[in-house]
Amino acid sequence: MLRPLFPDWLPDVPHRRPFLAVVEGDRAVALCASVRISDAVHCAGVETHADYRRLGHAAAVVAGWAQAVRALGAVPFYSTSWDNQASRAVAARLGLPLVATDFHVS
């Protein structure tokens, strides 16, 4: 299911659990997996294929991932850059509060 649209994620499957996908037909169109993992906290890694964006798939897969992380007894954590409007929209759609910001000076 990953090979058609997300071949770069294939090596991550055994190491990034929980690993969830929104599937249409026989292929994954959106993914969310734990990309940083501790006993207490898991951080989400999310990707939606360009052809399937703005359809609610990212919010759906992140919500499912968060539920799976909670079932493990850990806290789900969603992080994004300030300029990633699409990712911030996913967080807003899920009602996730802003808890911190990074400030960089170049």
Side-chain angles (χ1 to χ4, degrees):
M1 287 190 274
L2 294 179
R3 196 170 314 281
L5 301 179
F6 301 106
D8 293 349
W9 283 76
L10 284 168
D12 295 324
V13 172
H15 312 287
R16 304 290 180 211
R17 298 191 185 254
F19 195 119
L20 281 78
V22 171
V23 177
E24 288 197 5
D26 60 351
R27 62 185 178 181
V29 299
L31 308 173
C32 186
S34 295
V35 295
R36 290 179 196 85
I37 302 168
S38 76
D39 290 340
V41 177
H42 286 226
C43 186
V46 184
E47 186 174 354
T48 301
H49 188 271
D51 294 343
Y52 295 90
R53 291 182 182 152
R54 302 184 59 88
L55 299 172
H57 295 321
V61 77
V62 170
W65 168 84
Q67 185 175 21
V69 169
R70 286 185 195 101
L72 296 173
V75 175
F77 187 79
Y78 187 93
S79 157
T80 190
S81 64
W82 188 256
D83 60 348
N84 188 337
Q85 295 296 324
S87 187
R88 289 180 55 210
V90 170
R93 184 172 185 170
L94 293 171
L96 302 174
L98 176 64
V99 296
T101 60
D102 284 338
F103 181 73
H104 300 275
V105 177
S106 300

